[in-house]
Amino acid sequence: VQLQASGGGLVQTGSSLRLSCAASGGTVSPYNMAWFRQATGKDREFVAGISWNAYYADSVKGRFTISRDNAKNLVSLQMNSLKPEDTAVYYCAAGGMGVRSNSYVYWGPGTQVTVSS
C-alpha cells in the first residue's frame, strides 16, 4: 500500500485546512489509519486515528476531525482553528495500533502545514 498526503500549506492563525491521504496499491479498509506530525526539532507525535471510531490527541480535540472513505481509499483530516503550534510536517499512516508511531506499517511522505501568527 502506498500513501500520498496532500493539502498542506501556509495559513494564518484561526484558519482551516483539509489534509487528504490517498491510498494506492491495495485497500486500506481493513486497517487502522492515523495522522501524525513532526515539528522541527521535535519527535513525531500522534494527531488523530480512525478504525471503527475516531480518537484524537488532546492538543487537537475539538478542532480536528478525521474521517475515512473506504470506497475511495481515502482518509482526511479537517483542521480548524489552527494555531502556530500546529506547524509541522503531517504524515498519513496505516496498519498500526493506537497512538504508537512505531506500530504503523505504511507511511506516506509528509505534507507541510505552517500556521503564521
Side-chain angles (χ1 to χ4, degrees):
V1 173
Q2 292 81 46
L3 304 175
Q4 182 65 54
S6 61
L10 171 62
V11 296
Q12 294 184 330
T13 296
S15 298
S16 298
L17 276 177
R18 186 176 183 86
L19 304 184
S20 295
C21 176
S24 60
T27 178
V28 294
S29 59
Y31 298 125
N32 191 45
M33 304 290 295
W35 288 93
F36 289 81
R37 66 186 182 188
Q38 188 166 19
T40 302
K42 295 188 177 182
D43 293 335
R44 189 168 298 188
E45 66 174 2
F46 170 79
V47 176
I50 186 166
S51 54
W52 298 107
N53 57 346
Y55 47 99
Y56 302 91
D58 287 343
S59 60
V60 307
K61 202 171 293 184
R63 300 187 297 123
F64 290 12
T65 302
I66 187 172
S67 61
R68 67 189 299 165
D69 185 336
N70 289 335
K72 296 182 178 179
N73 245 10
L74 191 68
V75 175
S76 300
L77 184 69
Q78 178 66 41
M79 306 186 295
N80 298 329
S81 303
L82 283 163
K83 305 175 181 180
E85 50 264 44
D86 294 318
T87 296
V89 177
Y90 283 70
Y91 298 90
C92 173
M97 293 284 291
V99 305
R100 297 185 300 119
S101 62
N102 59 7
S103 75
Y104 284 79
V105 176
Y106 304 105
W107 290 86
T111 184
Q112 176 71 47
V113 172
T114 303
V115 185
S116 63
S117 56

